[in-house]
PDB file of all heavy atoms in Angstrom:
ATOM      1  N   THR R 127       5.647  14.492  15.479  1.00 88.00           N
ATOM      2  CA  THR R 127       4.454  15.246  15.861  1.00 88.00           C
ATOM      3  C   THR R 127       4.831  16.658  16.249  1.00 88.00           C
ATOM      4  O   THR R 127       6.003  16.914  16.580  1.00 88.00           O
ATOM      5  CB  THR R 127       3.752  14.534  17.026  1.00 88.00           C
ATOM      6  OG1 THR R 127       4.737  14.282  18.037  1.00 88.00           O
ATOM      7  CG2 THR R 127       3.138  13.239  16.603  1.00 88.00           C
ATOM      8  N   PRO R 128       3.883  17.580  16.269  1.00 90.00           N
ATOM      9  CA  PRO R 128       4.191  18.959  16.650  1.00 90.00           C
ATOM     10  C   PRO R 128       4.787  19.063  18.029  1.00 90.00           C
ATOM     11  O   PRO R 128       5.616  19.943  18.292  1.00 90.00           O
ATOM     12  CB  PRO R 128       2.816  19.638  16.596  1.00 90.00           C
ATOM     13  CG  PRO R 128       2.039  18.867  15.654  1.00 90.00           C
ATOM     14  CD  PRO R 128       2.525  17.464  15.744  1.00 90.00           C
ATOM     15  N   ARG R 129       4.413  18.136  18.934  1.00 91.00           N
ATOM     16  CA  ARG R 129       4.970  18.181  20.287  1.00 91.00           C
ATOM     17  C   ARG R 129       6.478  18.016  20.275  1.00 91.00           C
ATOM     18  O   ARG R 129       7.215  18.802  20.878  1.00 91.00           O
ATOM     19  CB  ARG R 129       4.312  17.064  21.095  1.00 91.00           C
ATOM     20  CG  ARG R 129       4.789  16.989  22.517  1.00 91.00           C
ATOM     21  CD  ARG R 129       4.292  15.686  23.121  1.00 91.00           C
ATOM     22  NE  ARG R 129       4.820  15.507  24.461  1.00 91.00           N
ATOM     23  CZ  ARG R 129       4.170  15.849  25.565  1.00 91.00           C
ATOM     24  NH1 ARG R 129       2.966  16.390  25.470  1.00 91.00           N
ATOM     25  NH2 ARG R 129       4.700  15.695  26.754  1.00 91.00           N
ATOM     26  N   HIS R 130       6.956  17.009  19.529  1.00 90.00           N
ATOM     27  CA  HIS R 130       8.395  16.766  19.485  1.00 90.00           C
ATOM     28  C   HIS R 130       9.131  17.916  18.753  1.00 90.00           C
ATOM     29  O   HIS R 130      10.187  18.357  19.186  1.00 90.00           O
ATOM     30  CB  HIS R 130       8.666  15.442  18.788  1.00 90.00           C
ATOM     31  CG  HIS R 130       8.362  14.265  19.648  1.00 90.00           C
ATOM     32  ND1 HIS R 130       9.023  13.074  19.552  1.00 90.00           N
ATOM     33  CD2 HIS R 130       7.466  14.099  20.646  1.00 90.00           C
ATOM     34  CE1 HIS R 130       8.551  12.231  20.421  1.00 90.00           C
ATOM     35  NE2 HIS R 130       7.603  12.834  21.098  1.00 90.00           N
ATOM     36  N   ILE R 131       8.519  18.320  17.633  1.00 91.00           N
ATOM     37  CA  ILE R 131       9.157  19.412  16.843  1.00 91.00           C
ATOM     38  C   ILE R 131       9.269  20.668  17.691  1.00 91.00           C
ATOM     39  O   ILE R 131      10.296  21.358  17.725  1.00 91.00           O
ATOM     40  CB  ILE R 131       8.375  19.679  15.565  1.00 91.00           C
ATOM     41  CG1 ILE R 131       8.225  18.398  14.740  1.00 91.00           C
ATOM     42  CG2 ILE R 131       8.993  20.809  14.760  1.00 91.00           C
ATOM     43  CD1 ILE R 131       9.266  18.188  13.751  1.00 91.00           C
ATOM     44  N   GLY R 132       8.181  20.985  18.394  1.00 92.00           N
ATOM     45  CA  GLY R 132       8.154  22.206  19.203  1.00 92.00           C
ATOM     46  C   GLY R 132       9.153  22.112  20.349  1.00 92.00           C
ATOM     47  O   GLY R 132       9.860  23.089  20.657  1.00 92.00           O
ATOM     48  N   THR R 133       9.266  20.949  20.944  1.00 92.00           N
ATOM     49  CA  THR R 133      10.245  20.776  22.028  1.00 92.00           C
ATOM     50  C   THR R 133      11.663  21.005  21.510  1.00 92.00           C
ATOM     51  O   THR R 133      12.470  21.700  22.145  1.00 92.00           O
ATOM     52  CB  THR R 133      10.130  19.375  22.618  1.00 92.00           C
ATOM     53  OG1 THR R 133       8.771  19.142  22.955  1.00 92.00           O
ATOM     54  CG2 THR R 133      10.980  19.241  23.853  1.00 92.00           C
ATOM     55  N   LEU R 134      11.953  20.441  20.307  1.00 91.00           N
ATOM     56  CA  LEU R 134      13.257  20.652  19.771  1.00 91.00           C
ATOM     57  C   LEU R 134      13.514  22.123  19.446  1.00 91.00           C
ATOM     58  O   LEU R 134      14.610  22.653  19.711  1.00 91.00           O
ATOM     59  CB  LEU R 134      13.431  19.834  18.484  1.00 91.00           C
ATOM     60  CG  LEU R 134      13.892  18.395  18.652  1.00 91.00           C
ATOM     61  CD1 LEU R 134      13.972  17.735  17.299  1.00 91.00           C
ATOM     62  CD2 LEU R 134      15.265  18.360  19.316  1.00 91.00           C
ATOM     63  N   PHE R 135      12.493  22.780  18.896  1.00 92.00           N
ATOM     64  CA  PHE R 135      12.676  24.174  18.515  1.00 92.00           C
ATOM     65  C   PHE R 135      12.934  25.068  19.718  1.00 92.00           C
ATOM     66  O   PHE R 135      13.673  26.041  19.634  1.00 92.00           O
ATOM     67  CB  PHE R 135      11.427  24.692  17.782  1.00 92.00           C
ATOM     68  CG  PHE R 135      11.611  24.787  16.323  1.00 92.00           C
ATOM     69  CD1 PHE R 135      10.677  24.226  15.449  1.00 92.00           C
ATOM     70  CD2 PHE R 135      12.702  25.456  15.761  1.00 92.00           C
ATOM     71  CE1 PHE R 135      10.852  24.318  14.078  1.00 92.00           C
ATOM     72  CE2 PHE R 135      12.865  25.543  14.401  1.00 92.00           C
ATOM     73  CZ  PHE R 135      11.951  24.989  13.575  1.00 92.00           C
ATOM     74  N   LEU R 136      12.312  24.721  20.857  1.00 93.00           N
ATOM     75  CA  LEU R 136      12.422  25.603  22.000  1.00 93.00           C
ATOM     76  C   LEU R 136      13.536  25.204  22.945  1.00 93.00           C
ATOM     77  O   LEU R 136      13.766  25.902  23.943  1.00 93.00           O
ATOM     78  CB  LEU R 136      11.114  25.678  22.742  1.00 93.00           C
ATOM     79  CG  LEU R 136      10.012  26.440  21.963  1.00 93.00           C
ATOM     80  CD1 LEU R 136       8.749  26.493  22.730  1.00 93.00           C
ATOM     81  CD2 LEU R 136      10.481  27.841  21.616  1.00 93.00           C
ATOM     82  N   THR R 137      14.192  24.066  22.687  1.00 94.00           N
ATOM     83  CA  THR R 137      15.299  23.725  23.558  1.00 94.00           C
ATOM     84  C   THR R 137      16.618  23.658  22.782  1.00 94.00           C
ATOM     85  O   THR R 137      17.479  24.542  22.905  1.00 94.00           O
ATOM     86  CB  THR R 137      15.043  22.359  24.212  1.00 94.00           C
ATOM     87  OG1 THR R 137      14.752  21.425  23.202  1.00 94.00           O
ATOM     88  CG2 THR R 137      13.871  22.426  25.179  1.00 94.00           C
ATOM     89  N   LYS R 138      16.754  22.663  21.922  1.00 92.00           N
ATOM     90  CA  LYS R 138      18.035  22.443  21.246  1.00 92.00           C
ATOM     91  C   LYS R 138      18.276  23.465  20.145  1.00 92.00           C
ATOM     92  O   LYS R 138      19.396  23.890  19.924  1.00 92.00           O
ATOM     93  CB  LYS R 138      18.014  21.021  20.657  1.00 92.00           C
ATOM     94  CG  LYS R 138      19.383  20.503  20.240  1.00 92.00           C
ATOM     95  CD  LYS R 138      19.243  19.047  19.800  1.00 92.00           C
ATOM     96  CE  LYS R 138      20.503  18.529  19.199  1.00 92.00           C
ATOM     97  NZ  LYS R 138      20.302  17.187  18.635  1.00 92.00           N
ATOM     98  N   TYR R 139      17.190  23.841  19.454  1.00 93.00           N
ATOM     99  CA  TYR R 139      17.358  24.715  18.296  1.00 93.00           C
ATOM    100  C   TYR R 139      16.727  26.078  18.568  1.00 93.00           C
ATOM    101  O   TYR R 139      16.122  26.656  17.682  1.00 93.00           O
ATOM    102  CB  TYR R 139      16.743  24.076  17.053  1.00 93.00           C
ATOM    103  CG  TYR R 139      17.465  22.815  16.653  1.00 93.00           C
ATOM    104  CD1 TYR R 139      16.918  21.564  16.879  1.00 93.00           C
ATOM    105  CD2 TYR R 139      18.714  22.879  16.061  1.00 93.00           C
ATOM    106  CE1 TYR R 139      17.607  20.442  16.546  1.00 93.00           C
ATOM    107  CE2 TYR R 139      19.406  21.748  15.737  1.00 93.00           C
ATOM    108  CZ  TYR R 139      18.844  20.522  15.947  1.00 93.00           C
ATOM    109  OH  TYR R 139      19.538  19.411  15.611  1.00 93.00           O
ATOM    110  N   LEU R 140      16.899  26.572  19.770  1.00 95.00           N
ATOM    111  CA  LEU R 140      16.299  27.867  20.103  1.00 95.00           C
ATOM    112  C   LEU R 140      16.943  28.993  19.315  1.00 95.00           C
ATOM    113  O   LEU R 140      16.277  29.892  18.824  1.00 95.00           O
ATOM    114  CB  LEU R 140      16.442  28.132  21.614  1.00 95.00           C
ATOM    115  CG  LEU R 140      15.777  29.406  22.094  1.00 95.00           C
ATOM    116  CD1 LEU R 140      14.306  29.351  21.852  1.00 95.00           C
ATOM    117  CD2 LEU R 140      16.045  29.636  23.557  1.00 95.00           C
ATOM    118  N   PHE R 141      18.276  28.904  19.149  1.00 95.00           N
ATOM    119  CA  PHE R 141      18.965  30.004  18.433  1.00 95.00           C
ATOM    120  C   PHE R 141      18.546  30.087  16.965  1.00 95.00           C
ATOM    121  O   PHE R 141      18.212  31.170  16.493  1.00 95.00           O
ATOM    122  CB  PHE R 141      20.471  29.820  18.609  1.00 95.00           C
ATOM    123  CG  PHE R 141      21.277  30.954  18.061  1.00 95.00           C
ATOM    124  CD1 PHE R 141      21.161  32.214  18.630  1.00 95.00           C
ATOM    125  CD2 PHE R 141      22.095  30.770  16.989  1.00 95.00           C
ATOM    126  CE1 PHE R 141      21.875  33.264  18.134  1.00 95.00           C
ATOM    127  CE2 PHE R 141      22.847  31.828  16.503  1.00 95.00           C
ATOM    128  CZ  PHE R 141      22.732  33.082  17.064  1.00 95.00           C
ATOM    129  N   PRO R 142      18.529  28.962  16.225  1.00 93.00           N
ATOM    130  CA  PRO R 142      18.019  29.068  14.859  1.00 93.00           C
ATOM    131  C   PRO R 142      16.584  29.546  14.786  1.00 93.00           C
ATOM    132  O   PRO R 142      16.226  30.250  13.854  1.00 93.00           O
ATOM    133  CB  PRO R 142      18.149  27.627  14.325  1.00 93.00           C
ATOM    134  CG  PRO R 142      19.177  27.013  15.132  1.00 93.00           C
ATOM    135  CD  PRO R 142      19.092  27.632  16.495  1.00 93.00           C
ATOM    136  N   PHE R 143      15.804  29.179  15.747  1.00 93.00           N
ATOM    137  CA  PHE R 143      14.399  29.612  15.781  1.00 93.00           C
ATOM    138  C   PHE R 143      14.322  31.131  15.868  1.00 93.00           C
ATOM    139  O   PHE R 143      13.605  31.780  15.085  1.00 93.00           O
ATOM    140  CB  PHE R 143      13.754  28.969  17.014  1.00 93.00           C
ATOM    141  CG  PHE R 143      12.286  29.231  17.154  1.00 93.00           C
ATOM    142  CD1 PHE R 143      11.382  28.755  16.241  1.00 93.00           C
ATOM    143  CD2 PHE R 143      11.835  29.950  18.232  1.00 93.00           C
ATOM    144  CE1 PHE R 143      10.035  28.986  16.393  1.00 93.00           C
ATOM    145  CE2 PHE R 143      10.509  30.184  18.389  1.00 93.00           C
ATOM    146  CZ  PHE R 143       9.588  29.712  17.478  1.00 93.00           C
ATOM    147  N   GLU R 144      15.138  31.726  16.777  1.00 95.00           N
ATOM    148  CA  GLU R 144      15.092  33.187  16.898  1.00 95.00           C
ATOM    149  C   GLU R 144      15.666  33.864  15.667  1.00 95.00           C
ATOM    150  O   GLU R 144      15.159  34.896  15.213  1.00 95.00           O
ATOM    151  CB  GLU R 144      15.901  33.604  18.137  1.00 95.00           C
ATOM    152  CG  GLU R 144      15.341  33.063  19.435  1.00 95.00           C
ATOM    153  CD  GLU R 144      14.005  33.679  19.770  1.00 95.00           C
ATOM    154  OE1 GLU R 144      13.693  34.763  19.254  1.00 95.00           O
ATOM    155  OE2 GLU R 144      13.263  33.065  20.554  1.00 95.00           O
ATOM    156  N   ILE R 145      16.739  33.260  15.123  1.00 94.00           N
ATOM    157  CA  ILE R 145      17.333  33.836  13.899  1.00 94.00           C
ATOM    158  C   ILE R 145      16.300  33.813  12.773  1.00 94.00           C
ATOM    159  O   ILE R 145      16.184  34.765  11.999  1.00 94.00           O
ATOM    160  CB  ILE R 145      18.589  33.040  13.492  1.00 94.00           C
ATOM    161  CG1 ILE R 145      19.700  33.257  14.534  1.00 94.00           C
ATOM    162  CG2 ILE R 145      19.094  33.478  12.141  1.00 94.00           C
ATOM    163  CD1 ILE R 145      20.258  34.619  14.570  1.00 94.00           C
ATOM    164  N   ALA R 146      15.530  32.727  12.663  1.00 94.00           N
ATOM    165  CA  ALA R 146      14.535  32.633  11.626  1.00 94.00           C
ATOM    166  C   ALA R 146      13.480  33.722  11.768  1.00 94.00           C
ATOM    167  O   ALA R 146      13.048  34.334  10.786  1.00 94.00           O
ATOM    168  CB  ALA R 146      13.863  31.263  11.666  1.00 94.00           C
ATOM    169  N   SER R 147      13.117  34.046  13.014  1.00 94.00           N
ATOM    170  CA  SER R 147      12.114  35.101  13.194  1.00 94.00           C
ATOM    171  C   SER R 147      12.699  36.456  12.760  1.00 94.00           C
ATOM    172  O   SER R 147      11.973  37.270  12.149  1.00 94.00           O
ATOM    173  CB  SER R 147      11.639  35.151  14.640  1.00 94.00           C
ATOM    174  OG  SER R 147      12.728  35.447  15.481  1.00 94.00           O
TER     175      SER R 147
END
Side-chain angles (χ1 to χ4, degrees):
Chain R
T127 51
R129 179 192 176 96
H130 285 210
I131 303 270
T133 308
L134 273 179
F135 256 130
L136 290 181
T137 53
K138 195 175 172 187
Y139 296 105
L140 184 62
F141 187 64
F143 184 66
E144 298 293 338
I145 293 292
S147 62

